[in-house]
Amino acid sequence: VGENGTGQVKFQVQGLSLGIHQGSIRLVGDDGLAIDDTRYFTIRVRAPWQVLVLAPEAVPARFFTEAISPFSLRQTGQAQFNCTVVRQGEAGSEVLADQQLEDFAAICLIDRQPLAEADWQRLLQFASQGGGIGFMLGHNADVAGFGNPLAEQLLGGRLLRQWRPA
């Protein structure tokens, strides 16, 4: 940076272990105002967020999981999300009973079939404790599948109509 000039610097910090790390950036030289020559920063390095992906057998979940957690980033340990895919069997059958939902930061339901009452209850409890839930609708989507009072409570309202283009 020349005299009386400005500049911008970008830097990356890599290879840090899990936890909190602190550092500083110091301007070397005299700029006439020594009080702002040092800036401090804190970085928290965390493990990838765990995401539970629920999809019926016939619905490909790979496109979604690759979008949020690409193979190349998983191989180098840089992925921000770690996806666990669980396949939904018959419509209305319980699928979340064997899952420890508190281990996950979010649950994504991809083109899901109708859920069992117990699964709606577990999803509602998961969301009320701060977990994220995403519904990605597809050809299995049906307004009747969301007519459950627990579903309405989770979604914040009642779905009245479904529109499909010709």
Side-chain angles (χ1 to χ4, degrees):
V1 178
E3 188 174 329
N4 294 328
T6 62
Q8 186 176 18
V9 177
K10 293 183 181 183
F11 66 95
Q12 291 183 348
V13 180
Q14 296 179 343
L16 298 175
S17 61
L18 296 178
I20 296 180
H21 305 272
Q22 296 179 323
S24 63
I25 300 172
R26 182 170 291 128
L27 178 65
V28 178
D30 186 23
D31 69 344
L33 187 60
I35 195 168
D36 68 352
D37 288 353
T38 303
R39 292 287 187 228
Y40 300 92
F41 62 90
T42 301
I43 298 173
R44 178 179 172 221
V45 180
R46 61 165 179 74
W49 286 356
Q50 301 298 313
V51 177
L52 177 64
V53 178
L54 176 65
E57 288 291 339
V59 175
R62 190 180 98 218
F63 299 114
F64 177 77
T65 59
E66 280 297 311
I68 68 168
S69 184
F71 178 75
S72 59
L73 294 180
R74 290 193 315 266
Q75 290 298 100
T76 60
Q78 296 177 314
Q80 293 184 20
F81 303 100
N82 183 26
C83 297
T84 301
V85 178
V86 173
R87 292 300 179 169
Q88 185 181 12
E90 294 180 23
S93 63
E94 194 171 346
V95 69
L96 296 175
D98 296 334
Q99 301 298 321
Q100 297 292 331
L101 299 186
E102 58 273 1
D103 294 342
F104 296 97
I107 300 172
C108 297
L109 296 96
I110 301 176
D111 195 16
R112 60 121 192 110
Q113 296 173 340
L115 295 172
E117 185 86 9
D119 286 339
W120 281 116
Q121 183 63 45
R122 293 198 70 205
L123 289 173
L124 184 59
Q125 181 180 9
F126 177 78
S128 68
Q129 294 173 345
I133 297 179
F135 289 95
M136 287 59 160
L137 304 179
H139 72 280
N140 288 321
D142 185 12
V143 171
F146 290 97
N148 178 317
L150 293 172
E152 293 174 10
Q153 189 176 353
L154 179 65
L155 297 172
R158 174 181 286 172
L159 296 178
L160 298 176
R161 191 175 334 164
Q162 182 175 5
W163 179 83
R164 292 184 192 260

